[in-house]
Amino acid sequence: MIHYPNAKINIGLNIVERRPDGYHNLETVFVPIPLQDALEIHASPDNTFRLKVSGTILGGRPEDNLVARAYRLMQQKYPEQVQPVDVHLFKHIPTGAGLGGGSADAAFMLKALNKRFDLQLPTETLEAYAAELGADCPFFIQDKAMYAEGIGNIFSPISLNLEGKTLVLVKPEIFVSTREAYSQVEPHRPDRSLRELISEPIENWRETVVNDFEKSVFPLYPEIAAIKDRLYDLGAVYASMSGSGSAVFGIFNQPVEHIDEIFSGYFCRQREL
């Protein structure tokens, strides 16, 4: 059984207030994109859970991977139904990019185990379990465009049609820590909510829809800012850093010729939305 966890981008990201627990409330729009990992699951031949990770090199121990944590969570909650499995995770989604690859892997693992062992868990239950693994993990359970609030864990549907547009995604060899991203952000509540702004024509977004993390990340890493500027030079109708970076995306009305040559040396993918 093979599943294909996909990445996401953030269209707009406003840090609206600091919470008493030290976290921040925000508003953003999560949008799934056609950039995928591969998650292959088989029965364990010796009744032992195993996880093999290949593709993009990851740091840390396999047992700390979110896929392993997702398995342990389900096995603890349903010890008689959820049996050991062999898992091969092939990573293609870049890490440290603001694309949610690890969260997607975890959420898809929950959905895969639910199906494999016929647990018949409803969406709401899977979302609750996903929230135990990470704030944005629940988004990947339904895996459709969502308006997010709270710490990025309170979701509501949003009408967003990007059909026919082309996405260009570029990631430099830069890792942006969450601490760095928050270092210069001053929480504020915009005059107009992101939900309202996103309902306007995409041509308006350049002037109105912002990612607050760019204020702190761009001065530290001018190369990321330069990628965004280059995407606009190439004709993007909207461009932004995704999440806390370092990936940057541009939305175009048509494919861009020779995009791999233009961003030679970077992770670069062009996809139809």
Side-chain angles (χ1 to χ4, degrees):
M1 183 184 297
I2 303 179
H3 304 265
Y4 297 95
N6 57 270
K8 59 82 179 169
I9 54 173
N10 296 79
I11 298 182
L13 198 160
N14 298 322
I15 309 299
V16 299
E17 64 183 354
R18 184 175 176 86
R19 297 157 50 108
D21 60 8
Y23 289 93
H24 292 80
N25 285 329
L26 55 84
E27 63 168 356
T28 188
V29 174
F30 286 127
V31 178
I33 62 172
L35 175 69
Q36 300 170 323
D37 290 340
L39 183 66
E40 186 173 9
I41 303 173
H42 298 285
S44 172
D46 58 0
N47 209 36
T48 302
F49 171 76
R50 290 189 182 85
L51 171 63
K52 176 185 177 182
V53 182
S54 60
T56 303
I57 302 300
L58 297 175
R61 303 176 301 170
E63 57 265 32
D64 295 329
N65 187 285
L66 279 170
V67 167
R69 290 175 56 193
Y71 168 77
R72 291 197 298 268
L73 176 65
M74 293 288 269
Q75 206 279 327
Q76 289 166 6
K77 293 183 181 295
Y78 305 97
E80 294 186 3
Q81 295 100 315
V82 177
Q83 301 301 308
V85 288
D86 267 350
V87 181
H88 179 197
L89 173 63
F90 181 85
K91 291 295 298 176
H92 182 62
I93 302 170
T95 59
L99 299 175
S103 296
D105 297 337
F108 273 71
M109 183 66 173
L110 294 178
K111 292 191 286 187
L113 294 173
N114 183 45
K115 182 176 181 179
R116 183 178 184 88
F117 296 108
D118 195 26
L119 301 177
Q120 301 183 31
L121 302 176
T123 296
E124 294 77 10
T125 300
L126 288 171
E127 288 179 337
Y129 293 163
E132 296 184 37
L133 300 171
D136 60 352
C137 284
F139 162 72
F140 292 99
I141 298 298
Q142 296 192 54
D143 203 29
K144 60 184 180 181
M146 289 282 185
Y147 177 72
E149 301 173 277
I151 59 173
N153 63 337
I154 301 173
F155 301 98
S156 56
I158 191 168
S159 178
L160 182 66
N161 183 11
L162 297 175
E163 186 176 354
K165 302 293 186 184
T166 295
L167 177 80
V168 173
L169 184 71
V170 183
K171 182 193 178 297
E173 287 295 323
I174 295 173
F175 175 81
V176 180
S177 74
T178 303
R179 182 182 298 274
E180 284 180 323
Y182 275 106
S183 64
Q184 301 298 321
V185 171
E186 293 291 337
H188 68 287
R189 191 172 295 277
D191 295 334
R192 300 173 65 196
S193 75
L194 181 59
R195 179 185 285 277
E196 178 184 352
L197 296 175
I198 214 78
S199 68
E200 296 182 349
I202 189 173
E203 290 78 12
N204 294 359
W205 294 359
R206 181 172 182 173
E207 302 300 327
T208 60
V209 177
V210 302
N211 180 342
D212 282 347
F213 283 128
E214 293 181 355
K215 298 175 185 176
S216 57
V217 172
F218 283 3
L220 293 172
Y221 302 104
E223 185 178 358
I224 302 176
I227 292 172
K228 178 180 176 179
D229 290 341
R230 183 66 173 127
L231 289 169
Y232 274 128
D233 291 341
L234 292 169
V237 290
Y238 179 72
S240 175
M241 188 173 72
S242 183
S244 57
S246 59
V248 182
F249 66 90
I251 299 174
F252 293 79
N253 288 324
Q254 61 279 318
V256 182
E257 294 183 358
H258 311 298
I259 194 67
D260 291 331
E261 296 175 18
I262 294 170
F263 290 106
S264 177
Y266 294 112
F267 177 95
C268 178
R269 297 293 185 273
Q270 181 165 239
R271 298 286 191 272
E272 182 178 342
L273 292 173

